[in-house]
Amino acid sequence: MISKVGFYKLENGKYQISHRDSENNRIRKQFKSFRSAKIYSQRVGHEVAIPDNLIKSSKTVGELLQDYIEQNPTSPMKTRARAVYESFNRYFGCMNVEDLNKVLCAHWIEAVKIEMKYCSRTMRTIKYTFSPFFQSLVEQKLIKTNYLGEVYIKLGTRMKQRVFLSESELKEIIEKLKRFSPLTTYPVIYFLMHTGCKISEAVNLEWHQLNLEAGTVYFPRKTTSNARILNISERLLEFLKAHPRTSDNVFLNDQGEAWTVSSFYKCMAEDRSAVGLNRNWDSYSFRHTFAYHFLRKGKTLQQLQVVLGHRCIAQTIEFYGDIVSDGKNVKF
């Protein structure tokens, strides 16, 4: 049976998600913020069956793009990448939406790269800029999947140098942060160490994404990552159960407000100096170190792809393929 997820804004300003469970019981949940409701609807949509039938649109891709721009006037597609926006319209504008596919998207990416002499890193940024439009087509059931999001762009040798931390270094960092910033930086770093998630996923984490009874955490789908539900280690589970719960957000700054990525980086830079470790570590060092230990325990790159939320296996191989081949290039 297919369960349809309903998304409603109520008169009291709250948002309600409605769906049916596996026993056909009607489930309704209300949320104060649009973001919380959207994350929950994505999780429910991830768990229930998705209809195979698509809706046939009489509009061309260009017309649908114009509709999207009108509904999302702050989208950077047109304001920051006008030449690419015009190229996209020339390439896809007159096309029927059902004719879209991954091959055409990959061809367009390569054509733009050659025509405008952009590097791979710039093309990846452009892909992320246009990907929300494709995701909106998926949500409208006009296409099956985000074809542009599935196009992989290899960055080559310009990848930022990875920093792997030894167990003793991890212990030193976490012990000192616990003394310096017990309620701010320390909890976030502790969470990063045990999950391998991105810093943006950690600082934006909300309590409803955690199921402390089942011992799981849910990360919603993003432009650059897949949705996933991960098991929490017993140590992290006990840590989260004891963590203060005073807001919808799990982790808060010293003002009792939700972090932004930039504000957390600023605070972390100050604490990094106080730690005094002679290594240029950052938030990604904990993600890289998590991946290293995950693979050295005998897990596969495919399993790591799911845990980290990588959109394709090629990205996982690019970052961590050398660890599988005996870890010779890993330096602590």
Side-chain angles (χ1 to χ4, degrees), residues 8-16 30-33:
Y8 311 96
K9 184 173 182 179
L10 306 178
E11 292 182 357
N12 60 8
K14 294 183 179 181
Y15 298 88
Q16 179 172 286
Q30 294 185 15
F31 299 86
K32 293 181 180 178
S33 68

Side-chain angles (χ1 to χ4, degrees), residues 129-255:
T129 302
F130 281 77
S131 190
F133 167 63
F134 279 79
Q135 188 57 36
S136 73
L137 298 180
V138 174
E139 293 170 357
Q140 296 174 64
K141 296 184 174 59
L142 298 178
I143 58 177
K144 291 182 178 181
T145 184
N146 184 342
Y147 300 118
L148 185 65
E150 293 178 350
V151 176
Y152 178 69
I153 301 175
K154 186 175 182 180
L155 296 183
T157 58
R158 295 176 59 188
M159 182 176 67
K160 183 179 178 180
Q161 184 178 3
R162 300 164 301 169
V163 174
F164 295 92
L165 299 165
S166 66
E167 291 185 9
S168 61
E169 287 172 330
L170 287 173
K171 184 177 180 181
E172 181 179 352
I173 290 172
I174 207 66
E175 287 181 349
K176 290 185 176 180
L177 286 178
K178 190 174 182 179
R179 294 202 303 269
F180 302 145
S181 307
L183 297 177
T184 52
T185 314
Y186 163 68
V188 180
I189 296 298
Y190 190 88
F191 187 80
L192 292 174
M193 287 174 52
H194 285 83
T195 61
C197 70
K198 295 180 179 179
I199 183 62
S200 59
E201 294 174 322
V203 298
N204 292 318
L205 185 72
E206 296 187 354
W207 283 106
H208 68 84
Q209 293 173 242
L210 293 165
N211 187 334
L212 299 182
E213 293 183 1
T216 62
V217 58
Y218 170 73
F219 295 114
R221 179 187 176 95
K222 299 291 185 181
T223 304
T224 58
S225 59
N226 290 326
R228 59 204 190 276
I229 299 176
L230 305 180
N231 292 322
I232 300 174
S233 67
E234 291 185 9
R235 184 178 297 180
L236 179 59
L237 185 60
E238 291 302 316
F239 175 84
L240 291 170
K241 287 180 178 179
H243 188 68
R245 185 168 182 169
T246 58
S247 169
D248 289 340
N249 288 79
V250 178
F251 304 118
L252 305 173
N253 60 23
D254 55 2
Q255 303 296 319

Side-chain angles (χ1 to χ4, degrees), residues 64-322:
L64 291 168
L65 177 62
Q66 185 60 38
D67 291 344
Y68 179 83
I69 293 296
E70 291 176 357
Q71 296 168 12
N72 301 272
T74 60
S75 171
M77 280 195 296
K78 196 172 182 178
T79 56
R80 298 183 188 175
R82 184 158 190 98
V84 181
Y85 176 84
E86 293 173 353
S87 170
F88 184 92
N89 258 323
R90 289 196 302 271
Y91 197 94
F92 295 106
C94 298
M95 187 179 297
N96 294 324
V97 66
E98 59 264 26
D99 294 331
L100 286 174
N101 57 56
K102 181 179 176 180
V103 174
L104 289 175
C105 290
H107 187 272
W108 174 70
I109 286 287
E110 188 62 26
V112 171
K113 181 179 180 181
I114 295 172
E115 177 186 352
M116 302 185 183
K117 298 180 181 180
Y118 286 152
C119 66
S120 296
R121 197 169 295 274
T122 299
M123 291 312 304
R124 179 173 283 188
T125 301
I126 289 171
K127 187 188 83 166
Y128 294 154
T129 302
F130 281 77
S131 190
F133 167 63
F134 279 79
Q135 188 57 36
S136 73
L137 298 180
V138 174
E139 293 170 357
Q140 296 174 64
K141 296 184 174 59
L142 298 178
I143 58 177
K144 291 182 178 181
T145 184
N146 184 342
Y147 300 118
L148 185 65
E150 293 178 350
V151 176
Y152 178 69
I153 301 175
K154 186 175 182 180
L155 296 183
T157 58
R158 295 176 59 188
M159 182 176 67
K160 183 179 178 180
Q161 184 178 3
R162 300 164 301 169
V163 174
F164 295 92
L165 299 165
S166 66
E167 291 185 9
S168 61
E169 287 172 330
L170 287 173
K171 184 177 180 181
E172 181 179 352
I173 290 172
I174 207 66
E175 287 181 349
K176 290 185 176 180
L177 286 178
K178 190 174 182 179
R179 294 202 303 269
F180 302 145
S181 307
L183 297 177
T184 52
T185 314
Y186 163 68
V188 180
I189 296 298
Y190 190 88
F191 187 80
L192 292 174
M193 287 174 52
H194 285 83
T195 61
C197 70
K198 295 180 179 179
I199 183 62
S200 59
E201 294 174 322
V203 298
N204 292 318
L205 185 72
E206 296 187 354
W207 283 106
H208 68 84
Q209 293 173 242
L210 293 165
N211 187 334
L212 299 182
E213 293 183 1
T216 62
V217 58
Y218 170 73
F219 295 114
R221 179 187 176 95
K222 299 291 185 181
T223 304
T224 58
S225 59
N226 290 326
R228 59 204 190 276
I229 299 176
L230 305 180
N231 292 322
I232 300 174
S233 67
E234 291 185 9
R235 184 178 297 180
L236 179 59
L237 185 60
E238 291 302 316
F239 175 84
L240 291 170
K241 287 180 178 179
H243 188 68
R245 185 168 182 169
T246 58
S247 169
D248 289 340
N249 288 79
V250 178
F251 304 118
L252 305 173
N253 60 23
D254 55 2
Q255 303 296 319
E257 300 172 346
W259 288 102
T260 63
V261 173
S262 58
S263 65
F264 182 81
Y265 273 137
K266 183 178 180 180
C267 187
M268 186 181 69
E270 296 174 355
D271 286 343
R272 182 169 52 199
S273 299
V275 168
L277 188 67
N278 190 26
R279 296 288 302 278
N280 189 29
W281 56 271
D282 59 13
S283 63
Y284 259 90
S285 301
F286 302 104
R287 185 170 170 88
H288 295 324
T289 303
F290 177 92
Y292 171 81
H293 289 290
F294 185 89
L295 292 173
R296 299 307 284 175
K297 289 178 181 177
K299 304 294 185 180
T300 66
L301 285 166
Q302 288 77 10
Q303 291 172 317
L304 181 62
Q305 178 196 357
V306 174
V307 171
L308 298 184
H310 286 166
R311 298 299 298 273
C312 62
I313 189 62
Q315 185 178 3
T316 314
I317 294 172
E318 178 185 359
F319 275 91
Y320 306 114
D322 59 329

